[in-house]
Amino acid sequence: MKALVITPAILEQHKLSEEEYRKILGILGREPNWTELGMFSAMWSEHCSYKSSRIHLKKLPTTGPRVVQGPGENAGAVDIGDGLCAVFKMESHNHPSFIEPYQGAATGVGGILRDIFTMGARPIALLNSLRFGGLESAHTRHLLQGVVAGIAGYGNCMGVPTVGGEIVFNDIYASNPLVNVFCLGIAKKDKIFLGKAAGVGNPVIYFGSKTGRDGIHGATMASDSFDEQAAQKRPTVQVGDPFTEKLLLEACLELMAGDCLVGIQDMGAAGLTSSACEMASREGTGVELELTNVPRREPGMTPYEIMLSESQERMLMVAKAGREEEVISVCRKWDLDVAVIGRVTDTGKVVLKENGEVVAEVPAKALADEAPRYDRPSAPPAYQEMLQALNHDALPDVKDANGALLALLDSPTIASKRWVYEQYDHMVRTNTMVRPGSDAAVLRVKGTNKALALSVDCNGRYCLLNPYEGAKIAIAECARNLACAGAEPIGVTDCLNFGNPQRPEVMWQFVLAVEGLKDACEALHVPIVSGNVSLYNETNDLSIYPTPMIGMVGLIEEAERTVTQWFQRAGDVILLLGKTREDLGGTEYLKVLHHREQGSPPLLNLQDEQAVQACTIRLIRAGLVQSAHDCSDGGLAVALAECCISGPDGHVGAMVQLPLNGLRQDALLFGESQSRIVLSVKPEQAEAVLNQIRDAGVPAAKIGTVGGSRFVIRLEGDQRTEGCTVDLDLNVLHDRWASAIPRALGQN
């Protein structure tokens, strides 16, 4: 092997520090060659190694009675009974989607699908959690349209429904959009497959698409900040082919139904390098690969290019010795490229050969597990106190409640996302029970009477103002969404999106957010079984808001008890669970009406939250609830309006009366106090339900009645209420909410 003369410029090109290079020298006992340096660069990138986050992630709760597979594999898995488990994970494709929105989003979908079916699970649902700048920007409109088209194009072709998600628009994400994709699959509990290279002498088999030059250094690019030259990184974005991925899915599941596989892994970030070294490292084995046998679509590819390519729709498997022809036959049946490219060894090393000559030799564990671990400095930013300071007395109270509510419903963050989800096929495979548009998507588990509820959530503005409370609220609101469908939360996946970890203020945000996730998950008894960290989300030194996205899965034991958020019928009684406080800090109301992102977010009492959710789930399981909707962005007035206008089968009005109880009018209508749920119940059951709620120690009150053609909220108990009553025709309300995004895109 030819040694390489390493210069500072070469290290910078590979995003390796001098300290990291010295560690590589210590591991190898010599200078690396070009291919070896590239392999270390990819595997020791932030994207692959989590070198700035791993010491903090260890604090998260990852075990529980339902956990079948926790973090460390391609996806997490939780037991749902009947010999089945739910397999799920969320991943980011932020940087690629900014550079090339269609392919960046499409390959994000492809990658998360492979993470799921690599485990032996058939994917049954996708969700996405997206962040963009303001829609006033032509570039943001271009990004939104490209990302949505990419998600739709890949998911629809794969025949996997996109059943829900959420989108926030804020100028802070204008140059760093977030594209986080969640996937759920179902597998037999005793047929989970892991990414391991076990059994010395077993063949290592490549299958899927051919290897090209697309995506080289994709992992390194995803671990770097952007500047004005971001568009020049377009060659690092992969190109996806969902039709090949569909063949790959079916081939994998057919192979897994037999008895020929030992281990299998997707070639994701860092491509063949990551799959080879991680599979060997998990088992303490080695692999020897003959690169001449790797299927390629471009001539003259070097070992460096072959090992770092991130071409899509490729897998690596270890088969049982003697079963090679059986495996190859299945792959060819599905029209996939396939080749035996190596074997498992006992050396503990990844050894690469080209025409029989060794071209690289690196310890597998050094690549996969021995990247530096950094405990980076953390400190709050100098402006944090200013951000949290909010003088309520200096804010004028709301004078035009109708106008304020319409302005909030017109905010793209709150407005209907129908323009997005109508581009997705959300009914394919016929599992979908609750389509996009309610608090949680719900899918039946075929062959059982059970259903799974899914939700994704995070309020980045809360996390900016108070990272600890904001992360707690992300967990709580995701779980509350599930509770409103009648589901018990059983597992979490996260996607932690932050700025440059070398900035102490960003690490301060990250550390506090992880603490918040930990405390909320422990209080609500829900483990984190998989996840992803995306750092360096900044452009020209401006970081995004800390955005720890949460994806959560809940179990509904009796699918027929599922509940949605919209009011069902005239005459039903409206109840409010939870207590309303003067919580205006960090609200959408404050941003839209006062153009301020300031104050302390609502404080979350985890015991109160747990009580409200448990009470709601019990009532739904008992068949006592007609509809349930959590209060979040826009507060109680927006939640009630959504109950009236979000149903798929028409609108229904409501007459609501709210006591002020000494609160500001805007806080009562639009404040975002946590742990609140709006229920509707049959009138003959209202008193019994109220008694049950109060017996559970949960604050609750009857606040109105469903019916009519108008949405009315009257405030009681204060002489200042004149002019602040909400009284709007449902058609006006619905038009403002339903057409906001198409109108902003110039399509209405």
Side-chain angles (χ1 to χ4, degrees):
M1 294 184 296
K2 186 177 179 180
L4 182 68
V5 178
I6 301 297
T7 66
I10 288 175
L11 290 181
E12 171 58 28
Q13 179 185 344
H14 287 80
K15 301 302 174 185
L16 290 166
S17 69
E18 289 188 14
E19 177 187 352
E20 290 168 346
Y21 182 63
R22 287 194 294 272
K23 184 170 182 178
I24 293 170
L25 293 178
I27 289 169
L28 296 180
R30 57 176 171 79
E31 297 275 354
N33 63 29
W34 186 251
T35 300
E36 292 166 340
L37 185 70
M39 293 166 71
F40 273 108
S41 168
M43 292 306 300
W44 285 16
S45 68
E46 195 76 64
H47 188 74
C48 291
S49 72
Y50 292 14
K51 57 190 175 185
S52 297
S53 59
R54 187 165 294 196
I55 63 171
H56 303 290
L57 298 177
K58 290 180 179 179
K59 304 171 187 174
L60 297 173
T62 59
T63 60
R66 289 188 181 271
V67 176
V68 176
Q69 177 62 55
E73 272 290 340
N74 293 293
V78 294
D79 190 344
I80 59 172
D82 296 298
L84 301 174
C85 60
V87 179
F88 55 95
K89 189 181 182 183
M90 184 157 55
E91 278 273 7
S92 63
H93 238 221
N94 304 336
H95 287 58
S97 298
F98 176 64
I99 297 169
E100 171 40 59
Y102 184 94
Q103 290 296 347
T107 52
V109 173
I112 198 65
L113 283 165
R114 290 193 299 279
D115 282 340
I116 301 308
F117 67 75
T118 296
M119 299 285 291
R122 179 174 288 278
I124 65 167
L126 291 160
L127 291 85
N128 49 75
S129 190
L130 311 175
R131 298 291 181 272
F132 297 99
L135 285 174
E136 303 81 13
S137 160
H139 186 58
T140 293
R141 297 194 294 272
H142 163 73
L143 289 174
L144 171 65
Q145 291 168 323
V147 164
V148 170
I151 292 169
Y154 208 102
N156 292 354
C157 288
M158 280 293 294
V160 179
T162 299
V163 296
E166 50 108 52
I167 311 178
V168 169
F169 297 88
N170 189 298
D171 287 341
I172 200 68
Y173 301 103
S175 296
N176 284 275
L178 302 184
V179 178
N180 292 183
V181 185
F182 168 104
C183 185
L184 169 81
I186 301 294
K188 292 182 179 179
K189 184 180 174 182
D190 60 355
K191 291 287 282 185
I192 293 290
F193 286 81
L194 305 179
K196 60 182 182 178
V200 173
N202 280 335
V204 177
I205 300 176
Y206 170 119
F207 68 114
S209 292
K210 289 182 171 68
T211 294
R213 289 187 171 95
D214 52 324
I216 293 174
H217 277 305
T220 308
M221 178 271 291
S223 308
D224 196 12
S225 303
F226 280 161
D227 54 24
E228 292 87 349
Q229 309 305 315
Q232 296 179 9
K233 299 182 180 180
R234 192 177 300 271
T236 62
V237 178
Q238 311 94 321
V239 177
D241 177 2
F243 300 103
T244 298
E245 177 116 338
K246 175 64 174 172
L247 300 176
L248 191 62
L249 162 63
E250 299 301 339
C252 281
L253 295 180
E254 182 172 339
L255 288 167
M256 291 165 174
D259 187 37
C260 57
L261 291 191
V262 174
I264 184 168
Q265 181 150 327
D266 162 41
M267 291 189 212
L272 184 52
T273 293
S274 64
S275 55
C277 74
E278 289 173 356
M279 291 177 76
S281 180
R282 291 186 186 112
E283 283 296 304
T285 58
V287 292
E288 182 179 289
L289 305 181
E290 174 51 71
L291 300 185
T292 310
N293 295 339
V294 172
R296 282 164 280 184
R297 65 169 182 259
E298 298 183 49
M301 290 188 70
T302 65
Y304 182 99
E305 292 172 327
I306 293 169
M307 293 305 294
L308 296 187
S309 168
E310 293 184 12
S311 294
Q312 296 292 286
E313 294 88 38
R314 302 179 302 155
M315 307 282 274
L316 195 67
M317 72 174 111
V318 173
K320 293 180 179 179
R323 308 289 290 274
E324 295 91 337
E325 289 306 315
E326 180 181 341
V327 169
I328 290 170
S329 175
V330 170
C331 293
R332 287 179 175 163
K333 167 190 169 183
W334 290 102
D335 200 24
L336 298 170
D337 281 287
V338 59
V340 177
I341 66 168
R343 63 186 179 90
V344 179
T345 68
D346 60 2
T347 65
K349 295 180 178 181
V350 177
V351 178
L352 308 180
K353 293 183 176 181
E354 191 173 41
N355 294 316
E357 180 183 344
V358 174
V359 294
E361 186 173 349
V362 182
K365 280 195 175 294
L367 290 169
D369 299 318
E370 295 179 8
R373 301 284 184 266
Y374 294 126
D375 188 0
R376 297 194 185 276
S378 66
Y383 52 77
Q384 194 66 31
E385 287 190 12
M386 181 273 292
L387 277 177
Q388 292 180 339
L390 177 65
N391 183 357
H392 288 68
D393 294 336
L395 284 176
D397 205 340
V398 62
K399 300 298 182 186
D400 176 8
N402 281 339
L405 177 58
L406 290 174
L408 283 167
L409 293 175
D410 195 50
S411 166
T413 293
I414 289 177
S416 169
K417 307 306 186 295
R418 181 178 295 274
W419 178 87
V420 174
Y421 64 71
E422 69 184 1
Q423 299 182 52
Y424 305 148
D425 186 339
H426 42 263
M427 294 302 293
V428 64
R429 302 198 64 82
T430 67
N431 295 306
T432 309
M433 294 177 58
V434 176
R435 307 177 187 185
S438 194
D439 282 320
V442 180
L443 296 105
R444 66 176 53 84
V445 181
K446 287 180 179 174
T448 76
N449 191 37
K450 297 174 179 177
L452 293 173
L454 318 175
S455 181
V456 288
D457 216 287
C458 180
N459 188 316
R461 185 163 55 240
Y462 287 174
C463 295
L464 171 74
L465 301 175
N466 187 323
Y468 175 76
E469 288 295 331
K472 280 170 53 184
I473 289 171
I475 292 286
E477 184 172 349
C478 225
R480 202 182 314 136
N481 288 336
L482 301 183
C484 287
E488 171 202 355
I490 58 173
V492 172
T493 183
D494 59 35
C495 197
L496 309 181
N497 305 272
F498 288 78
N500 185 342
Q502 297 178 60
R503 299 181 185 279
E505 63 269 26
V506 171
M507 278 312 299
W508 176 79
Q509 293 170 339
F510 185 87
V511 172
L512 285 184
V514 169
E515 290 288 344
L517 298 180
K518 168 185 173 294
D519 289 350
C521 284
E522 289 177 344
L524 298 178
H525 309 294
V526 56
I528 296 177
V529 298
S530 61
N532 175 59
V533 177
S534 174
L535 302 178
Y536 293 96
N537 290 288
E538 71 167 28
T539 296
N540 294 327
D541 300 330
L542 179 64
S543 291
I544 62 163
Y545 289 169
T547 313
M549 302 282 202
I550 299 302
M552 197 176 294
V553 176
L555 180 64
I556 301 173
E557 293 285 356
E558 298 178 81
E560 65 273 13
R561 295 295 194 189
T562 299
V563 166
T564 52
Q565 73 178 38
W566 39 85
F567 291 145
Q568 297 293 316
R569 63 175 193 175
D572 284 344
V573 173
I574 304 169
L575 307 179
L576 175 63
L577 277 64
K579 185 175 178 58
T580 301
R581 300 175 174 84
E582 200 153 280
D583 288 315
L584 288 173
T587 59
E588 191 71 8
Y589 166 79
L590 199 64
K591 177 180 184 292
V592 171
L593 274 300
H594 295 280
H595 311 290
R596 298 172 73 170
E597 297 183 274
Q598 198 175 3
S600 292
L603 293 179
L604 173 69
N605 182 302
L606 287 166
Q607 287 69 40
D608 291 348
E609 182 70 42
Q610 199 279 333
V612 167
Q613 291 186 24
C615 181
T616 301
I617 293 170
R618 282 196 303 272
L619 292 171
I620 291 174
R621 286 179 175 174
L624 296 174
V625 175
Q626 296 285 86
S627 69
H629 185 28
D630 85 309
C631 295
S632 56
D633 294 344
L636 180 56
V638 166
L640 288 164
E642 289 171 340
C643 291
C644 292
I645 60 179
S646 63
D649 300 320
H651 318 142
V652 58
M655 176 71 72
V656 175
Q657 293 184 314
L658 300 174
L660 273 166
N661 293 331
L663 294 174
R664 291 171 57 108
Q665 297 152 14
D666 52 7
L668 177 59
L669 291 171
F670 309 117
E672 295 175 6
S673 297
Q674 295 297 295
S675 310
R676 295 183 300 166
I677 292 176
V678 174
L679 301 181
S680 67
V681 299
K682 294 178 180 178
E684 64 270 21
Q685 296 176 330
E687 286 305 316
V689 170
L690 269 174
N691 289 334
Q692 286 193 39
I693 296 169
R694 289 165 180 162
D695 288 345
V698 173
K702 174 182 173 181
I703 62 170
T705 306
V706 176
S709 61
R710 301 188 71 79
F711 176 58
V712 179
I713 302 178
R714 302 196 185 282
L715 305 182
E716 302 174 339
D718 198 305
Q719 297 301 314
R720 298 170 297 165
T721 61
E722 186 174 348
C724 291
T725 296
V726 173
D727 190 348
L728 289 164
D729 182 271
L730 288 180
N731 291 325
V732 172
L733 208 65
H734 181 265
D735 178 70
R736 186 63 65 95
W737 174 78
S739 62
I741 289 178
R743 192 163 51 241
L745 294 172
Q747 297 179 6
N748 195 26

